[in-house]
């Protein structure tokens, strides 16, 4: 079933989660949704201009954890911490919240809290630590739990709609990505180098299966920063750099060779001493000579006025990057703020829309280099970590050699960060906002495919038939190319929605400075996320996990991927939350399996599997009890044509059992009771039409105490749909 305005309203009302979802959209959005599209080729080739702005240091939960229809604070399946509590309850180091890894925990749990500008100086919130060492320690190889300890309490703060109205309005006018991750688990330069080249580590060594050290990668900010920028101005006497240059081609190098026009709009003497400009880490830019294209388009002064004139005159290059000045970069801690950042975004948008003919052929991407030290609750997809004993906590269907950072002398690790060895995954890291602003992305959509900074390189590949050679096979397997954030068949309209005014940033900043600094509240605030659904882009996932239990001895999970994009499965063992969660990268069309030895636990197990966009499987029971009695198992299947789900229940035991299936969220009636004889199989199917193809069922057995299977997610039909109608906590 296609999702048009009428179906959207009917389905929303039927779910009971967002009866007025469509009516709540701004009038300009509703009018835009009703406009019939006028397209040419109905493909990505209709795009003639791609403009990219990367701002500084904001996390997804920090900005949009409260917004309806995205994976925010109303996430129904937060990962568990070692404490047994959910990911929301992070431990700090000292009572005042300052990071002190050497001090014992004082037992204080810090939960997400509202940065309320009506009470405190919240809009000028300070920056938090965001280097490789504290980021690795806070992530804790997927265990989480230590965010305030290594980042400080400020890391748990977030804004609401009324605090950052421009950001919310832009996301709801166009498309927001809620599974876009920064690429490297650290700070600015490493992520901007990836953004501008496709990799942060030498792709030639990676291809040889060699993990890079800091000689051939960038764990912390070094190579883009200019030495003594007050003296070494551009172009005279020129930049001087802190470290050696990388030699693999940047994306501008690739575009140049292919004859594709490009430009970087920047002030080379106001780009945060070079930190905004990831290409400064590369030899081709450092050695560019006057008169060359790289010198002209990649190193010179190009203002927003130049951008507006290029749009007005129809001379806008095919690919453009915009580098913000430091004061308007949106970086926490000043000199910027969300309002100053949105004012800069507004200036860019005004420049891009001065000529509606050009805008009708343009896509504008706005994202952030990294998350600062700001908390995000979603476990980042990443290659499996190494356990402290050197074994790999997980598997992959492709080679992982070369995908890790090697720190043999622990130069970049906290002394107490010993959960793993000295070989660590580069990323992915925390989610950051990504707005996709274009005539092909209007309407308040959410795109929930996994993306990262390499995705923009892959998007350029798709549009211009080029190859960005530095992007690794693992990134290509797991990260999408951003085309799913668009609908090139149904859309183009140069009309522009009304957005909130941002010109009063100076007044607001002054007012905020007059207020007291904020602090994490001693009493936890209730988690809040607006209820309601939003249009959701089609996703390429078709994921499966099945279990085979050998009573009292082992549990084998088989991970299969019959979709069109690879995925990472995260497995949290609730019987052993002190362990690193295992991660499994499964390419499209492939399968792998792994075994959990449960003999030491007398067969008991409680395994939670997480995948993209709310995919969850739970395998819990007492395997020893199952021996010589009933042995039920479930195999979840998809009816793709109808968007429904059906489950095959089998019994490999010697006695019959009765299974009870319960709908946990979407009102599909029930419960259903099925009797499964030994050696037999029965099937139950459900229509998911009323829930927008979302499901969440649990299965228990009458004679097996502690037995539970649970399966949740969305059936992908190849069509656009709705966000999870059961998500939200308002």
């Amino acid at each position: 079933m296609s999702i048009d305005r009428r179906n959207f309203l009917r389905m929303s009302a039927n779910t009971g989660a967002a009866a007025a979802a469509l009516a709540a959209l701004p009038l300009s959005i509703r009018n835009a949704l009703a406009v019939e599209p006028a397209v040419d080729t109905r493909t990505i080739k209709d795009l003639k201009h791609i403009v990219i702005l990367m701002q500084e240091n904001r996390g997804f939960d920090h900005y949009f954890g409260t917004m309806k229809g995205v994976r925010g604070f109303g996430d129904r399946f937060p990962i568990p911490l070692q404490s047994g509590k959910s990911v929301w309850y992070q431990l700090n180091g000292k009572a005042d919240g300052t990071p002190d890894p050497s001090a014992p925990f004082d037992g204080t749990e810090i939960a997400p809290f509202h940065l309320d500008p009506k009470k405190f100086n919240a809009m000028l919130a300070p920056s938090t630590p965001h280097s490789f060492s504290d980021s690795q320690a806070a992530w804790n190889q997927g265990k989480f739990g230590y965010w305030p300890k290594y980042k400080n309490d400020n890391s748990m703060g977030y804004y609401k709609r009324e605090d950052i109205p421009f950001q919310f309005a832009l996301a709801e006018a166009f498309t927001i990505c809620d599974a876009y991750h920064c690429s490297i688990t650290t700070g600015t330069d490493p992520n901007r180098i990836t953004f501008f080249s496709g990799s942060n580590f030498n792709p030639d060594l990676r291809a040889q299966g060699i993990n890079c050290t800091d000689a051939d990668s960038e764990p912390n900010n070094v190579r883009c920063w200019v030495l003594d920028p007050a003296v070494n101005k551009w172009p005279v006497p020129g930049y001087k750099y802190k470290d050696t240059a990388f030699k693999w081609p940047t994306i501008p190098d690739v575009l140049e060779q292919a004859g594709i026009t490009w430009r970087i709009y920047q002030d080379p003497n106001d780009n945060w001493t070079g930190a905004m400009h990831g290409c400064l880490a590369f030899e081709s830019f450092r050695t560019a000579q006057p008169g060359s294209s790289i010198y002209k388009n990649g190193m010179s002064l190009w203002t927003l006025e130049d951008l507006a004139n290029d749009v007005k005159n129809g001379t806008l290059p095919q690919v453009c990057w915009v580098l913000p000045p430091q004061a308007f970069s949106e970086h926490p801690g000043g000199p910027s703020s969300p309002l100053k950042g949105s004012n800069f975004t507004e200036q860019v948008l005004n420049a891009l829309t001065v000529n509606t003919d050009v805008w009708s052929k343009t896509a504008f991407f706005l994202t952030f280099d990294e998350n600062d030290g700001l908390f995000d609750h979603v476990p980042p997809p990443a290659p499996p970590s190494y356990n402290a004993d050197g074994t790999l906590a997980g598997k992959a269907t492709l080679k992982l050699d070369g995908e890790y950072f090697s720190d043999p002398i622990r130069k970049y690790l906290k002394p107490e960060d010993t959960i793993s060895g000295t070989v660590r995954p580069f990323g992915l890291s925390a989610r950051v906002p990504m707005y996709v602003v274009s005539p092909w992305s209007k309407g308040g959509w959410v795109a929930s495919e996994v993306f990262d900074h390499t995705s923009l390189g892959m998007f350029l590949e798709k549009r211009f038939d080029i190859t960005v050679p530095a992007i690794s096979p693992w990134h290509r397997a797991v990260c999408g190319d951003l085309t799913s954030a668009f609908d090139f068949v149904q859309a183009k309209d140069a009309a522009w929605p009304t957005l909130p005014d941002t010109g009063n940033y100076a007044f607001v900043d002054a007012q905020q400075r007059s207020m007291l600094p904020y602090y994490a509240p001693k009493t936890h605030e209730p988690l809040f996320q607006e209820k309601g659904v939003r249009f959701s882009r089609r996703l390429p996932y078709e994921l499966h996990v099945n279990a085979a239990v050998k009573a009292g001895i082992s549990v084998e999970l088989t991970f299969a991927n019959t979709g069109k994009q690879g995925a990472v499965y995260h497995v949290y063992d609730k019987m052993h939350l002190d362990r690193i969660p295992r991660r499994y990268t499964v390419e499209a069309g492939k399968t792998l399996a792994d075994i959990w030895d449960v003999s030491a636990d007398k067969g008991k197990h409680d395994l939670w599997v997480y995948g993209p966009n709310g995919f969850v499987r739970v395998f819990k029971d007492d395997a020893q009890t199952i021996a010589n009695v009933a042995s039920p198992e479930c195999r979840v299947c998809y009816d793709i044509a109808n968007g429904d789900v059906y489950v095959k229940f089998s019994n490999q035991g010697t006695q019959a059992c009765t299974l009870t299936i319960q709908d946990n969220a979407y009102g599909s009636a029930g419960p259903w009771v099925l009797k499964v004889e030994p050696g037999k199989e029965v099937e139950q199917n459900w229509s998911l039409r009323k829930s927008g193809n979302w499901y969440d069922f649990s299965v228990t057995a009458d004679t097996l105490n502690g037995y539970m299977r649970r399966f949740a997610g969305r059936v992908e039909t190849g069509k656009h749909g709705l966000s999870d109608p059961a998500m939200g906590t308002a």
Side-chain angles (χ1 to χ4, degrees):
M1 180 176 60
S2 62
I3 304 296
D4 57 20
R5 296 172 68 247
R6 180 175 299 175
N7 284 328
F8 179 88
L9 183 58
R10 178 179 60 80
M11 292 172 68
S12 300
N14 285 340
T15 63
L22 184 61
L25 292 171
L27 179 62
S28 60
I29 303 301
R30 284 187 280 157
N31 291 339
L33 288 171
V35 173
E36 292 295 323
V39 297
D40 297 326
T41 68
R42 297 178 182 270
T43 71
I44 193 175
K45 301 300 182 182
D46 287 342
L47 268 179
K48 307 304 180 186
H49 307 282
I50 297 167
V51 181
I52 306 162
L53 168 62
M54 177 175 272
Q55 292 282 74
E56 281 280 303
N57 295 40
R58 298 288 175 174
F60 189 86
D61 277 345
H62 170 70
Y63 263 12
F64 293 117
T66 66
M67 188 168 73
K68 69 176 182 181
V70 301
R71 195 149 300 278
F73 295 137
D75 193 338
R76 301 181 57 247
F77 297 102
I79 62 171
L81 299 178
Q82 184 171 339
S83 65
K85 296 184 179 181
S86 73
V87 71
W88 310 119
Y89 299 99
Q90 300 282 314
L91 290 169
N92 77 348
K94 286 173 38 177
D96 62 0
T98 57
D100 183 5
S102 64
F105 291 141
D106 69 354
T108 301
E109 291 176 332
I110 308 296
F113 63 92
H114 179 208
L115 294 169
D116 190 346
K118 296 178 182 178
K119 298 179 179 178
F120 307 105
N121 178 6
M123 301 309 292
L124 298 174
S127 183
T128 58
H130 48 280
S131 67
F132 185 88
S133 61
D134 54 74
S135 298
Q136 282 283 318
W139 175 49
N140 205 22
Q141 305 307 300
K143 287 180 59 179
F144 283 65
Y146 298 155
W147 218 275
K149 175 180 174 69
Y150 292 102
K151 304 291 191 177
N152 75 42
D153 291 359
N154 298 337
S155 65
M156 303 301 290
Y158 65 84
Y159 296 114
K160 292 184 178 180
R161 176 183 296 271
E162 59 267 26
D163 308 323
I164 50 173
F166 183 91
Q167 283 83 350
F168 269 69
L170 189 63
E172 293 189 329
F174 294 96
T175 296
I176 188 72
C177 301
D178 69 349
Y180 186 102
H181 296 256
C182 53
S183 298
I184 312 294
T185 310
T186 180
T188 289
D189 280 11
N191 280 287
R192 287 184 178 263
I193 288 169
T194 305
F195 180 65
F196 271 102
S197 77
S199 181
N200 174 60
F201 46 98
N202 189 324
D204 293 331
L205 292 179
R206 186 262 308 150
Q208 298 173 50
I210 299 173
N211 294 322
C212 287
T213 66
D214 58 2
D216 291 283
S217 66
E218 183 89 334
N220 282 329
N221 296 342
V222 177
R223 287 176 169 86
C224 298
W225 290 74
V226 176
L227 281 170
D228 199 357
V231 175
N232 298 314
K233 292 182 175 294
W234 189 267
V236 178
Y239 292 152
K240 291 185 178 180
Y241 302 95
K242 295 183 177 182
D243 206 340
T244 57
F246 295 140
K247 296 183 179 181
W248 64 87
T250 67
I251 292 176
D253 289 319
V254 173
L255 297 174
E256 184 72 23
Q257 186 174 6
I260 297 162
T261 58
W262 63 276
R263 180 165 295 157
I264 299 174
Y265 292 87
Q266 62 155 340
D267 181 345
N269 293 309
D270 188 5
N271 58 9
W272 211 313
T273 68
M276 305 288 184
H277 196 334
C279 292
L280 296 184
F282 292 86
E283 186 174 87
S284 61
F285 274 72
R286 292 187 182 186
T287 60
Q289 297 299 307
S292 69
S293 177
I294 287 180
Y295 188 99
K296 175 185 176 182
N297 293 304
M299 301 291 285
S300 303
L301 174 65
W302 295 96
T303 67
L304 290 186
E305 184 179 0
D306 293 324
L307 175 64
N309 286 334
D310 285 340
V311 173
K312 183 178 180 180
N313 298 329
T315 57
L316 184 69
Q318 291 166 282
V319 181
C320 304
W321 290 267
V322 180
L323 306 185
Q326 183 172 344
F328 289 84
S329 65
E330 221 154 329
H331 195 292
S336 197
S337 67
L339 187 55
K340 291 178 81 171
S342 63
N343 180 258
F344 186 77
T345 300
E346 184 178 45
Q347 293 179 59
V348 174
L349 294 176
N350 287 339
L352 293 178
T353 56
V354 70
N355 182 335
T356 56
D357 181 62
V358 171
W359 172 247
S360 71
K361 306 168 186 174
T362 299
F364 172 53
F365 295 95
L366 167 58
T367 188
F368 295 77
D369 55 359
E370 36 108 351
N371 61 305
D372 203 77
L374 298 164
F375 169 79
D376 189 78
H377 81 280
V378 172
S385 296
Y386 283 92
N387 294 309
D389 64 3
T391 58
L392 200 60
K395 295 182 179 180
T397 57
L398 72 169
K399 291 184 178 180
L400 297 173
D401 297 339
E403 291 285 352
Y404 296 82
F405 174 64
S406 178
D407 182 18
I409 62 173
R410 298 185 60 89
K411 179 179 177 181
Y412 298 96
L413 294 172
K414 298 284 187 182
E416 69 280 9
D417 182 6
T418 58
I419 187 173
S420 183
T422 59
V423 176
R424 303 293 180 96
F426 276 109
L428 305 181
S429 189
R431 293 183 303 167
V432 293
M434 162 61 93
Y435 314 78
V436 181
V437 183
S438 168
W440 288 272
S441 62
K442 297 183 293 76
W445 292 81
V446 60
S448 298
E449 186 176 355
V450 171
F451 304 121
D452 85 315
H453 296 330
T454 68
S455 298
L456 278 161
M458 288 187 274
F459 186 84
L460 296 177
E461 289 181 330
K462 195 84 169 181
R463 170 58 185 87
F464 296 110
D465 302 314
I466 60 175
T467 298
V468 180
I471 301 175
S472 80
W474 184 88
H475 284 85
R476 292 186 183 279
V478 171
C479 303
D481 61 14
L482 281 164
T483 56
S484 64
F486 295 81
D487 189 339
F488 293 108
V489 176
Q490 293 282 332
K492 99 175 158 145
D493 179 358
W496 194 255
T498 300
L499 296 174
D501 176 60
T502 65
N504 63 335
Y505 61 85
F507 172 81
V508 173
D509 282 1
Q511 184 268 340
Q512 284 287 281
R513 288 191 182 95
S514 70
M515 302 185 74
L516 293 172
Y518 72 88
Y519 55 86
K522 294 182 179 180
T523 302
H524 293 163
E525 299 174 356
L527 283 173
F528 167 79
Q529 183 177 359
E530 302 164 340
K531 284 192 174 182
V533 293
R534 65 196 314 109
F535 291 113
S536 175
R537 290 297 188 194
R538 64 172 68 92
L539 296 175
Y541 301 119
E542 191 174 301
L543 307 178
H544 314 265
V545 185
N546 296 316
V549 177
K550 190 172 183 180
I553 299 174
S554 66
V555 178
E556 182 179 39
L557 296 186
T558 299
F559 306 89
N561 185 348
T562 55
K564 298 179 180 179
Q565 182 71 33
V568 172
Y569 300 83
H570 310 251
V571 184
Y572 286 79
D573 182 350
K574 285 195 173 182
M575 298 290 293
H576 297 282
L577 290 172
D578 57 315
R579 299 175 182 173
I580 293 174
R582 301 190 199 180
R583 290 188 295 276
Y584 298 87
T585 298
V586 184
E587 297 165 278
K590 295 191 177 182
T591 301
L592 59 75
D594 206 358
I595 294 175
W596 278 256
D597 183 346
V598 297
S599 57
D601 297 308
K602 299 181 179 180
K604 294 182 179 180
H605 56 273
D606 191 358
L607 302 175
W608 286 64
V609 184
Y610 294 79
N613 197 39
F615 175 93
V616 171
R617 297 291 186 265
V618 179
F619 303 93
K620 178 181 180 181
D621 61 25
D622 184 341
Q624 194 174 52
T625 301
I626 293 176
N628 300 317
V629 289
S631 183
E633 204 47 81
C634 314
R635 184 156 57 93
V636 180
C637 307
Y638 307 123
D639 178 355
I640 302 298
N642 297 303
D644 296 334
V645 68
Y646 61 99
V647 179
K648 295 183 177 180
F649 300 94
S650 61
N651 183 359
Q652 301 303 315
T654 59
Q655 296 182 16
C657 65
T658 300
L659 302 179
T660 301
I661 304 101
Q662 182 73 47
D663 176 9
N664 298 311
Y666 302 104
S668 299
W672 300 266
V673 178
L674 302 175
K675 186 174 183 179
V676 188
E677 298 290 343
K680 300 294 184 180
E681 183 177 84
V682 298
E683 182 176 306
Q684 175 72 41
N685 63 338
W686 294 272
S687 171
L688 306 179
R689 188 163 302 224
K690 292 183 179 181
S691 63
N693 308 121
W694 289 87
Y695 61 91
D696 178 7
F697 296 99
S698 57
V699 183
T700 55
D702 60 342
T703 60
L704 303 174
N705 293 330
Y707 176 93
M708 193 263 280
R709 296 291 184 263
R710 188 170 183 178
F711 44 97
R714 186 176 82 173
V715 176
E716 299 300 331
T717 65
K719 301 177 182 179
H720 301 309
L722 301 173
S723 64
D724 186 351
M727 188 164 54
T729 64

